[in-house]
Amino acid sequence: QKLLLKNADVPVIMNTYFSQKVLLSEHSETREKTYDLTKMLVRKNIISLAQTFRLDDLDDELHQESSDNQVACAPQILNNCDLKQHPLARSAVNDSLLEMVESQGAVGWREAQVRVIIQRVYCLPAREGYGSHVQGNKPLLSNRGMFCRLCLLVQDAYGMFSEVQLQSLSAAEDVEQYCRRWEGKFCCLAGMKILQRTTRGRALGLFSVIDSLWPPVVPVRVPGQSQDSEMTTTNLPPPSFCYILTAQSGEMRVEVDEEEQISNLYQPPAVRGLKEILQIDGCNERCSFWAQVLYVRLQTKHTVPINQREILLFVTDSTLQNVVRITPKVVAVSVAASCVLSTEITEALGVASQLVFFRDALWGNGRIICVERTVLLLQKPLLCSAAGADLSELTGPVRLDELDSTTQANSVCAVRGTVIGVNESTAFSWPTCDRCGNGKLELCPQDRGLLYCNQCSEVVVSPVLKMQLEVFLSCPSRSQSTVKVKVWHEMSFGVLMRRHSYEVQSVLGKEVGLLNCYVHSVTSHPNCVGLEEVVLQ
C-alpha cells in the first residue's frame, strides 16, 4: 500500500499481509460510522518486528504498549510477551487464521497452533517432481500418471478459509476414508508456513468451492470484538483472499479429533437432482449429485497424452428419467485431467454401471465438469443435505432420448430406422478366440496355418469372426439428414448381419432399432449425423 501522509513530501510504502481501506469523511456522522467499522475490522495487539523475528536484544520498552497504540484490542491469551520467556505462548491454541499469519509472519510458525474446522478433503494434481524441493511433501502418483497431494479446506471461527497442502498418501483410494473421517471435525494446525496468498481473481476454482460454503450456517465471530460479544451471519461479504499453507521443513502437525462430534460450522454437500442442476442460471457454480454412470468414453485426441485426456461420463438419475422431454434423459459429465480419480473409482467404472457421488462438480455454460477439488465417491457421505431433491434410485430400464433435430455432438441417443446402405470400403473383420474372446491372435509357431491364443496358451481351431462396418439409415426423426452408424459384430446390428450370413443385399431395407449410440458429429453442410453403436454398462 502506498501511503501519502499529511505534511510529508515522501510517500510511505507499507507491505502488509492484509489491509482494508477506510475512507474518512469531513462530516462527523460519517467519521463516527467509519470508526465503528474500523473497530470491527481490526483485532490484534501491535506486535514489534523484533518480537516477530525473535531477536535476542529486545528492549523492555518494546513490550510496553501504551493505550494510544492499542486499536480495538480483544482479550488475548498472552499480551505482547517474549515468546522465549513464555513458552506457553508457543503451545497456545489460536482460533484466527489471520491473526496467526499476522503474528507469526511469512516464515511460518512451529509451535503455535490454530484451531480450525475441516470443510472439505480432496487431492490436487502437481507437476512431476513438484514436491522434490519441498521437504515432507512427496507427491503421490495417481492412476492417470498424475502426481497429487492431499489437501484440506479449513475454516476458522471468524469464517476465514485456508487451503492446507498435506503430505502425500500411500494410495489415491485413501482420499475417501479421509473424507469420511475428517470432514466436519475440528483440527489443530502447527508447523505451517505460507506457500501463497491468493485472491479470487487468481484462483477461481478455489473460490467457487468457498462460495458454495458461504455464508456460514451458524453465526461466526466478528473481528475486533471480544469472543463473548454478539456473533452474526448476516451481511457478511464473501472472502476475497485465502492463504495456501504447507509444511515447514517437515514439521507440520495436523491433529484431528476424530472422536469429537461434527461441528455446527460444517457445511455438508448440498445434494441436488440433475434436473435442478441443469436449470441453474448461474455460472461456475459448484454442485453435488448422486447419479448412475451408464457409459464411459475417453476423448480420442491423439495429439494429447492419454493421461491428460478428458473423460466423458454419461449419467442419469430419477429426476431425468421421470421427466417428459423437458431435459435430456442422460447428460455428459466431463472429467478434466486436473480432476484426481482414485484407483477404486477408475476400476469400478471400467467394470459395470455404478452409482457415483459427484461432490463439488462445476456447473457453467450448460456443462457439468469435474475439475480440481471435485471428488468422486462410490459411497454417499455420511452427512449431506438433500433439500427436498428426489434422490430415489432407478427401478426400471434406462431410457435414452431418441435421435432428432435437437441432438448434439458428444451425447448419447437411441436410433431407429431403415438400412439404406452399407459402406463396404471401410468394413473390416478379425478372428477372435472362441474360448476367451481375445482379438489379438497369432500364427501358431508349429503350424503356420493355425491361429494361437496367448491368453489361453492354446491353438484356436474354430475362431469367431468379428467385424466392423458403417451403415446408412433412413430415420423418420431426422428425415433431412444422412445418418451414418458405425456398428460392431457383437451388437444388435451385427446380430442382424450374422442372421443373413453377412450378405449386404439381404439387410437393405431392414428395420433396426433401438440402437444405443454415441454421437460423434452433427454437421449441417453436408447435413449428416455420425454415430457409433455402444453398449451401456
Side-chain angles (χ1 to χ4, degrees):
Q1 299 289 332
K2 182 178 180 180
L3 307 180
L4 300 177
L5 305 180
K6 291 183 178 180
N7 303 322
D9 297 332
V10 180
V12 176
I13 302 299
M14 181 174 63
N15 189 6
T16 65
Y17 290 110
F18 170 74
S19 65
Q20 184 163 345
K21 297 176 183 177
V22 179
L23 302 177
L24 298 180
S25 170
E26 296 296 327
H27 302 288
S28 59
E29 180 181 355
T30 307
R31 188 182 298 272
E32 291 174 3
K33 290 182 179 179
T34 310
Y35 177 73
D36 292 337
L37 177 62
T38 307
K39 288 183 62 178
M40 294 178 61
L41 290 175
V42 182
R43 177 187 183 269
K44 57 173 288 186
N45 282 332
I46 304 225
I47 300 173
S48 69
L49 291 176
Q51 178 185 344
T52 299
F53 293 103
R54 299 183 177 89
L55 301 179
D56 294 330
D57 54 345
L58 293 177
D59 189 90
D60 289 340
E61 294 181 359
L62 295 178
H63 307 299
Q64 308 276 331
E65 301 290 349
S66 67
S67 58
D68 296 335
N69 291 332
Q70 301 290 332
V71 184
C73 292
Q76 304 287 321
I77 297 175
L78 294 171
N79 277 327
N80 297 330
C81 295
D82 185 359
L83 296 176
K84 292 185 177 180
Q85 297 177 9
H86 299 271
L88 285 178
R90 294 179 178 267
S91 59
V93 179
N94 205 327
D95 61 356
S96 171
L97 284 164
L98 183 59
E99 187 171 299
M100 183 65 70
V101 169
E102 287 183 327
S103 61
Q104 299 297 318
V107 293
W109 61 90
R110 288 182 172 83
E111 299 300 328
Q113 300 182 60
V114 59
R115 189 168 187 258
V116 291
I117 176 74
I118 301 175
Q119 291 284 7
R120 293 291 185 267
V121 179
Y122 45 79
C123 273
L124 284 181
R127 296 184 302 274
E128 184 173 352
Y130 174 81
S132 60
H133 66 280
V134 182
Q135 278 188 305
N137 274 13
K138 298 178 181 179
L140 155 73
L141 186 62
S142 79
N143 58 294
R144 287 205 273 178
M146 180 194 306
F147 288 91
C148 53
R149 183 173 294 108
L150 182 70
C151 297
L152 307 178
L153 182 62
V154 300
Q155 187 178 23
D156 67 8
Y158 297 86
M160 181 177 173
F161 289 90
S162 183
E163 185 176 76
V164 183
Q165 296 189 359
L166 302 180
Q167 298 177 1
S168 61
L169 301 178
S170 58
E173 54 265 23
D174 289 338
V175 174
E176 183 162 345
Q177 66 160 312
Y178 278 98
C179 290
R180 301 178 71 86
R181 287 168 47 194
W182 284 9
E183 285 188 0
K185 303 296 180 66
F186 279 104
C187 76
C188 287
L189 305 177
M192 296 288 167
K193 72 174 181 179
I194 301 172
L195 187 65
Q196 181 186 6
R197 179 190 184 276
T198 189
T199 59
R200 185 175 296 272
R202 298 174 185 170
L204 291 175
L206 171 60
F207 278 88
S208 64
V209 179
I210 291 176
D211 288 343
S212 70
L213 302 170
W214 196 264
V217 290
V218 297
V220 294
R221 297 172 186 164
V222 178
Q225 297 184 4
S226 66
Q227 297 183 7
D228 298 331
S229 62
E230 183 179 355
M231 298 185 289
T232 181
T233 59
T234 60
N235 300 323
L236 290 176
S240 59
F241 68 94
C242 177
Y243 285 104
I244 312 297
L245 306 177
T246 188
Q248 176 165 278
S249 302
E251 299 179 5
M252 176 172 60
R253 296 198 314 274
V254 179
E255 300 174 2
V256 182
D257 188 354
E258 297 185 25
E259 302 299 324
E260 188 174 329
Q261 292 185 345
I262 300 295
S263 167
N264 292 332
L265 191 61
Y266 173 60
Q267 292 204 48
V271 183
R272 311 186 197 184
L274 285 171
K275 176 186 173 184
E276 180 186 353
I277 293 173
L278 296 181
Q279 295 172 345
I280 296 176
D281 293 331
C283 189
N284 293 330
E285 186 170 334
R286 295 281 177 163
C287 57
S288 300
F289 55 94
W290 185 249
Q292 188 91 28
V293 179
L294 305 176
Y295 178 57
V296 181
R297 189 175 191 90
L298 180 66
Q299 294 294 76
T300 54
K301 295 180 180 179
H302 299 292
T303 57
V304 179
I306 191 168
N307 63 333
Q308 297 178 18
R309 295 182 190 174
E310 184 181 71
I311 299 174
L312 288 181
L313 304 180
F314 292 90
V315 303
T316 190
D317 67 359
S318 58
T319 67
L320 295 184
Q321 289 291 308
N322 299 333
V323 172
V324 181
R325 206 50 189 168
I326 300 177
T327 55
K329 296 191 181 301
V330 176
V331 297
V333 176
S334 302
V335 182
S338 60
C339 178
V340 178
L341 299 180
S342 68
T343 305
E344 184 180 20
I345 282 287
T346 53
E347 290 178 350
L349 292 177
V351 175
S353 176
Q354 295 287 342
L355 272 171
V356 175
F357 183 69
F358 295 78
R359 195 196 71 192
D360 295 330
L362 196 63
W363 163 261
N365 298 322
R367 299 178 64 201
I368 301 176
I369 311 174
C370 298
V371 292
E372 291 183 357
R373 302 175 182 86
T374 300
V375 177
L376 275 61
L377 305 172
L378 291 178
Q379 297 184 25
K380 193 181 299 183
L382 296 177
L383 286 179
C384 58
S385 58
D390 180 10
L391 303 179
S392 57
E393 295 189 12
L394 299 175
T395 54
V398 172
R399 296 169 294 166
L400 304 185
D401 294 306
E402 286 200 37
L403 175 70
D404 61 14
S405 58
T406 64
T407 302
Q408 298 180 352
N410 297 320
S411 64
V412 290
C413 65
V415 180
R416 71 170 85 236
T418 304
V419 180
I420 59 174
V422 177
N423 188 354
E424 296 184 68
S425 63
T426 61
F428 62 91
S429 60
W430 67 98
T432 62
C433 178
D434 58 343
R435 289 179 295 269
C436 68
N438 178 23
K440 297 181 179 179
L441 302 183
E442 301 175 358
L443 292 176
C444 182
Q446 290 78 18
D447 187 346
R448 306 295 289 181
L450 296 176
L451 296 173
Y452 181 79
C453 178
N454 281 324
Q455 292 187 8
C456 298
S457 300
E458 292 187 24
V459 174
V460 180
V461 180
S462 303
V464 175
L465 189 67
K466 292 190 176 182
M467 66 181 303
Q468 174 196 310
L469 72 161
E470 290 180 342
V471 299
F472 297 93
L473 301 181
S474 173
C475 302
S477 61
R478 192 103 184 193
S479 58
Q480 303 300 318
S481 302
T482 300
V483 179
K484 181 173 60 176
V485 185
K486 181 190 292 185
V487 296
W488 302 89
H489 172 277
E490 64 271 20
M491 299 185 190
S492 55
F493 189 83
V495 174
L496 178 65
M497 290 292 292
R498 291 199 300 274
R499 192 179 302 154
H500 293 276
S501 303
Y502 298 102
E503 290 293 334
V504 173
Q505 296 300 322
S506 301
V507 299
L508 294 178
K510 298 293 184 181
E511 296 286 338
V512 295
L514 290 166
L515 303 180
N516 294 327
C517 293
Y518 170 76
V519 184
H520 276 283
S521 61
V522 178
T523 59
S524 55
H525 301 287
N527 196 338
C528 181
V529 180
L531 308 175
E532 178 184 348
E533 188 180 11
V534 298
V535 175
L536 300 184
Q537 294 177 327

